[in-house]
Amino acid sequence: MHIVPPSSSNTFQQSWITSGRILFLIAVSGLGAIGLVVLSALWAGAESDSAALDRQRQLVNARLLEQVDQVAHVIGQFGSGYLTRVYPAARSSGRSSSLDALLTAAAASGISHTAMSAFGYDQAFVVDENARLLMLADAKTEKRYRWMKPLFLPLLQDAKLAVNQDTASTDPTPSAIAGHLSSTARPNRAFANLMRLEGRPTIVGVVAINEAPEGQPQTMRQFLIVVRFIDGPALDELSRQQGLNGARFARTADADENEVAFQINATANGEPIGFIVWRPDLPGSRVIGRLMPALSIAALVIAMLFSVLLVRLRSSLGELKKSELHARQLALHDVLTELPNRALFAMRFEECLADPRNSTERSAVALLDLDRFKAVNDTFGHAAGDELIRMATQRIRALLRPGDTLARLGGDEFAVLLRDLKEDQHLPAICEAIVAELGKPFPLLGGEAVARIGASIGVTVVPDTGRNADDIMRYADVALYEAKMGGRGQWRVYSPSMDGGRNARDILKHELREVLARGAASPAGASQSDPPANRPDFGSLEVYYQTVHRAKPGYSVSGAEALVRWRHSHRGLLTPASFIPAAEEGGLIDALGFWVLREACRAACGWPEDTFVAVNVSPAQLRRPNFAEEVITVLQESGLPPSRLELELTESSLIEDNLDVYTVLKSLRSQGVQISLDDFGTGFSCLSHLVRFDIDRIKIDRSFVSQLGTKANGAAIIGAIVALSRNLGISTTAEGIETEYQRDFLAALGCTDLQGYLFSKPVPLGELDCFQKAKNGDELFPIVPSANA
């Protein structure tokens, strides 16, 4: 045992005491200074919080008043617009009855529905001046109105008095009224008040919606009453705009200690109708919250000096352990998603195959590939691509069972190991769920961009296809290839016939190459000479045309879209979906595209001069450096003016190689060629494309048109696209119109052109009766009969 000499012990003890005193003095001084700083910060933070809270209350009050004014303004315009449209129509029809007689119960219901669907009101009623309900309504709506009616009466009385005053102040002579209505609507005052309805804070607006014809007395006023509750989506919008954290509505001021309550008063009598409660944004408290950890750390530094060696030792051991765990994580997991990587997936798959308990259990391996992922990277950058990979991982993982394995093999490729498939329906259900989930939009970069990608899945089942890991993975890859060739956004289970499918695709590419080498085809309707004896006959290509119609009375023909068909000698008439993928894979899309362009330009030369022909252009064609020169050459050879040619591009065409595509399109537009953007809103929509590439026309996808009358979102999306196009001076064509309701709605909404089976299916050139009649002088641009007729 080593004994410390007494002198040394005393010296050490004295030194320790001295050091302790010095440390104590330093600690006390430091704590005192920190205490003063803390007190000063608390006082400054409290003052800042008080000022911020007052400002938030002022903003909330101003916003509520603004919403009331907005409701009055919107329904005022609605009422004026309704009178402006309906009054001249009644006057021109020669009716002597007043307009309030024109407003039937069904029409009143239509006005109510329009107010709710188009302007987002929670409830709308059409009543007479005695507050009687005029519109068709179910029992629930009538009961609801009876409860609300007594509260509507004061506001309805104010609106009736205001309209009568306006009527009295207007020149009663028929000529004066007629001249006023021809230029602008008559004064139509609207009122809106804050009040409590059904125990909820509500904005109620009233506006007159009928007017007697010129020279006739007003028999009965009719009014539109709209209701917007401000404790639901409206409160959420207010919360987002004003930054009100956790905003909610309460009937009493039941705010917690971390919340504030703002009283809402009724407009008419100033009585309280409720409170908006939220957690206020207090900058002073936030700053103090950020400062306190630092101050606390500073106060603990003195104490930590005495235990620094122990902390250091423990920290070193902890870092060593973390480093070991991290190394193992990197070896077997993907860095971006933290999923198992290819090596770990292979290990688990081998374990699954080697486990004797699984010798008879059904398992499955699915290879998953994200569609159009490269376009997201090229458009929005690798940061967005990484974010998309992480979001896709989360969506897939949420659909799997705890015992399933999801791995990232690299890039946008994933693998899924599904063990113990006891139910035959589980595999289809999970594959369909993954395809559906990945087909939904992905908000990227904090909501600044939205990507739609989709996924393709190839599946192989164990032990149906054997128990060799390499063969199973190859079979899954073959099934994945089939899913992609089938149009993407699909899933396929491997079958031995798929190996022969590749040979079938090679045969189809060879036959198409022979058709194009033979001059492709003759124009639709023309005879074709027999092929040479040494070359087989695989049929001919034809161009079909689907007419486009102006969205004006009469719906005259404005042009037609060229669509290629392959009349195969053995397979029959093939649509583009059957052979376009083979053309792209075999490098034949350029030759096919220019053949269609030449035939369409030649055909359009025989059409009336104010019509156009639209031709689809693939991304591969746009990437050709001399694409613009080739198009101009085709126009010169056919004699078709450039202004009558419209090239239809997909949004994916603008995503890749932006600079080259921009140069090509700029050259074409300088010659007068029109450019349209097909299927707008279904791909990687970017508003900058509309301006940067100087687009002339937007084609609204049929998926939005089909929702009209069934989903409110369809009308909202189409309305937004049409409004955007109108502001940018861009034409709009709505595709897929199959009903008269869709036609009339889109025309009223402001679409410039319409296209769909209601007017005509794609037909050969010889069956375009509308153009033939125009050339014969019978009728200029008659409507093509409906395909259903």
Side-chain angles (χ1 to χ4, degrees):
M1 177 181 295
H2 178 69
I3 299 176
V4 179
S7 60
S8 298
S9 176
N10 293 335
T11 303
F12 176 78
Q13 186 176 5
Q14 292 176 358
S15 175
W16 177 260
I17 294 174
T18 303
S19 300
R21 290 176 179 176
I22 294 174
L23 291 174
F24 177 77
L25 292 175
I26 293 175
V28 171
S29 301
L31 291 175
I34 292 174
L36 292 176
V37 173
V38 170
L39 291 176
S40 300
L42 291 175
W43 178 82
E47 292 295 320
S48 177
D49 290 345
S50 178
L53 186 58
D54 290 341
R55 176 59 178 167
Q56 289 183 45
R57 287 172 172 167
Q58 294 174 5
L59 291 175
V60 170
N61 184 58
R63 181 56 180 164
L64 287 176
L65 295 178
E66 181 183 343
Q67 289 190 4
V68 174
D69 293 340
Q70 184 182 14
V71 169
H73 177 71
V74 170
I75 64 172
Q77 288 188 330
F78 180 87
S80 298
Y82 184 83
L83 293 177
T84 303
R85 293 193 304 270
V86 176
Y87 184 84
R91 181 167 54 84
S92 61
S93 64
R95 299 180 183 179
S96 59
S97 60
S98 61
L99 281 186
D100 53 338
L102 295 176
L103 190 58
T104 63
S109 299
I111 295 174
S112 172
H113 177 72
T114 301
M116 289 189 292
S117 61
F119 298 98
Y121 295 115
D122 298 292
Q123 189 65 62
F125 305 97
V126 177
V127 303
D128 62 13
E129 61 185 16
N130 295 323
R132 289 175 299 194
L133 195 63
L134 298 180
M135 64 185 205
L136 296 176
D138 53 22
K140 182 178 180 181
T141 303
E142 291 182 353
K143 181 179 180 180
R144 192 177 194 184
Y145 176 73
R146 286 197 301 270
W147 280 100
M148 296 180 177
K149 178 179 177 180
L151 299 175
F152 291 159
L153 291 176
L155 189 60
L156 184 65
Q157 185 66 24
D158 292 342
K160 183 170 63 174
L161 292 175
V163 172
N164 291 335
Q165 292 175 1
D166 290 337
T167 304
S169 62
T170 305
D171 187 355
T173 60
S175 60
I177 296 176
H180 190 56
L181 286 174
S182 64
S183 59
T184 181
R186 293 188 61 180
N188 189 26
R189 297 184 59 186
F191 286 84
N193 279 352
L194 264 173
M195 62 178 61
R196 178 186 292 177
L197 287 181
E198 300 178 344
R200 303 167 65 183
T202 310
I203 301 176
V204 178
V206 179
V207 66
I209 57 172
N210 75 325
E211 183 64 72
E214 55 188 57
Q216 294 187 15
Q218 181 69 49
T219 58
M220 179 63 70
R221 292 285 184 186
Q222 295 173 346
F223 296 88
L224 171 66
I225 302 177
V226 299
V227 175
R228 171 170 291 170
F229 297 109
I230 62 175
D231 61 345
L235 180 58
D236 294 338
E237 181 181 0
L238 176 65
S239 175
R240 288 192 300 271
Q241 292 177 349
Q242 306 299 335
L244 306 182
N245 299 323
R248 59 186 175 85
F249 173 75
R251 297 187 179 182
T252 60
D254 59 348
D256 297 333
E257 59 180 4
N258 296 325
E259 296 179 328
V260 295
F262 175 80
Q263 180 174 303
I264 306 174
N265 297 327
T267 304
N269 51 25
E271 294 181 355
I273 59 178
F275 296 84
I276 297 178
V277 182
W278 74 91
R279 295 191 303 276
D281 181 16
L282 303 177
S285 299
R286 187 169 60 250
V287 172
I288 292 174
R290 294 177 179 176
L291 186 61
M292 287 304 296
L295 296 177
S296 301
I297 293 174
L300 294 174
V301 167
I302 298 175
M304 292 176 61
L305 291 176
F306 299 103
S307 56
V308 64
L309 292 178
L310 180 60
V311 173
R312 182 63 179 172
L313 178 59
R314 296 184 62 183
S315 176
S316 299
L317 292 175
E319 291 177 359
L320 180 61
K321 186 176 182 180
K322 289 181 181 180
S323 177
E324 180 183 358
L325 294 175
H326 185 62
R328 296 183 60 184
Q329 180 80 6
L330 291 178
L332 297 176
H333 290 80
D334 175 59
V335 177
L336 179 62
T337 62
E338 300 182 355
L339 292 176
N341 59 12
R342 187 184 296 271
L344 182 55
F345 180 81
M347 292 170 56
R348 293 186 179 179
F349 188 30
E350 291 288 355
E351 292 174 358
C352 176
L353 296 177
D355 191 345
R357 294 176 300 176
N358 297 329
S359 58
T360 58
E361 295 289 347
R362 288 168 57 85
S363 301
V365 173
L367 294 183
L368 186 150
D369 194 12
L370 301 182
D371 299 332
R372 298 181 291 273
F373 173 74
K374 181 179 181 298
V376 177
N377 260 343
D378 295 342
T379 306
F380 305 121
H382 291 285
D386 292 344
E387 183 181 1
L388 176 59
I389 290 292
R390 288 191 292 267
M391 296 177 65
T393 299
Q394 294 173 359
R395 294 188 183 185
I396 300 172
R397 182 184 289 166
L399 300 173
L400 300 180
R401 302 170 300 175
D404 298 333
T405 297
L406 171 64
R408 185 187 180 203
L409 305 184
D412 61 338
E413 300 177 2
F414 296 84
V416 181
L417 175 59
L418 304 171
R419 305 182 64 168
D420 192 15
L421 296 175
K422 297 180 180 179
E423 298 180 4
D424 294 337
Q425 297 300 323
H426 179 69
L427 180 60
I430 193 170
C431 290
E432 291 173 0
I434 292 175
V435 170
E437 190 67 23
L438 296 182
K440 297 178 181 178
F442 285 84
L444 304 176
L445 303 177
E448 295 182 2
V450 177
R452 293 178 180 266
I453 53 170
S456 302
I457 304 177
V459 184
T460 183
V461 180
V462 182
D464 295 355
T465 55
R467 301 190 64 83
N468 182 278
D470 293 337
D471 290 343
I472 292 173
M473 295 299 290
R474 184 178 66 83
Y475 296 153
D477 187 60
V478 171
L480 175 61
Y481 182 83
E482 285 292 328
K484 285 183 171 292
M485 292 302 297
R488 299 183 179 180
Q490 303 179 17
W491 67 280
R492 295 286 186 272
V493 177
Y494 171 79
S495 64
S497 62
M498 289 184 178
D499 285 330
R502 290 187 174 181
N503 296 331
R505 287 191 297 273
D506 293 338
I507 292 173
L508 189 65
K509 286 187 287 186
H510 171 72
E511 294 175 349
L512 182 58
R513 185 176 286 107
E514 288 292 333
V515 171
L516 291 171
R518 203 163 27 87
S522 59
S527 62
Q528 182 178 342
S529 59
D530 296 334
N534 60 340
R535 305 186 89 166
D537 179 18
F538 300 118
S540 61
L541 296 174
E542 299 178 3
V543 180
Y544 278 45
Y545 299 89
Q546 186 176 25
T547 53
V548 181
H549 297 256
R550 298 180 177 91
K552 297 179 179 180
Y555 301 103
S556 59
V557 177
S558 59
E561 180 181 2
L563 303 167
V564 65
R565 299 288 188 270
W566 184 0
R567 193 172 297 279
H568 198 281
S569 55
H570 305 296
R571 306 171 191 255
L573 187 64
L574 302 180
T575 60
S578 304
F579 60 88
I580 291 297
E584 293 177 340
E585 185 179 355
L588 305 174
I589 194 65
D590 288 344
L592 178 61
F594 275 104
W595 179 83
V596 175
L597 178 64
R598 284 193 298 270
E599 295 299 326
C601 290
R602 292 172 184 172
C605 287
W607 301 349
E609 294 181 356
D610 57 345
T611 60
F612 68 91
V613 62
V615 181
N616 292 279
V617 177
S618 69
Q621 290 178 275
L622 284 178
R623 287 193 291 267
R624 292 170 57 90
N626 58 340
F627 175 77
E629 290 78 9
E630 293 172 340
V631 172
I632 299 304
T633 300
V634 170
L635 290 171
Q636 293 174 349
E637 292 175 354
S638 63
L640 182 70
S643 60
R644 294 182 58 196
L645 173 63
E646 184 172 288
L647 299 181
E648 290 189 7
L649 317 177
T650 60
E651 291 178 310
S652 59
S653 303
L654 306 183
I655 288 176
E656 302 177 0
D657 304 323
N658 275 353
L659 182 59
D660 296 338
V661 171
Y662 173 77
T663 303
V664 169
L665 295 183
K666 182 179 180 181
S667 176
L668 288 171
R669 295 203 79 264
S670 66
Q671 299 293 327
V673 177
Q674 304 293 301
I675 306 297
S676 68
L677 195 58
D678 198 12
D679 300 335
F680 183 78
T682 60
F684 306 97
S685 302
C686 184
L687 299 182
S688 62
H689 291 161
L690 302 179
V691 178
R692 171 173 168 77
F693 296 100
D694 206 4
I695 301 299
D696 299 290
R697 182 186 300 273
I698 290 176
K699 301 196 73 175
I700 302 174
D701 188 67
R702 65 182 68 248
S703 62
F704 299 135
V705 175
S706 64
Q707 296 179 5
L708 293 179
T710 60
K711 295 183 179 179
N713 291 342
I717 293 174
I718 294 176
I721 295 175
V722 172
L724 173 66
S725 303
R726 186 185 301 113
N727 292 333
L728 295 178
I730 300 175
S731 301
T732 51
T733 297
E735 298 181 295
I737 298 175
E738 298 182 358
T739 65
E740 294 182 356
Y741 169 80
Q742 294 172 346
R743 178 196 65 188
D744 297 339
F745 183 92
L746 292 167
L749 200 60
C751 289
T752 56
D753 294 272
L754 308 172
Q755 183 180 3
Y757 282 7
L758 178 66
F759 300 102
S760 173
K761 291 183 177 180
V763 296
L765 179 63
E767 297 181 21
L768 281 178
D769 297 333
C770 55
F771 291 136
Q772 291 180 355
K773 289 181 180 180
K775 289 189 292 185
N776 295 335
D778 297 338
E779 179 183 1
L780 190 60
F781 311 89
I783 298 178
V784 178
S786 171
N788 301 323

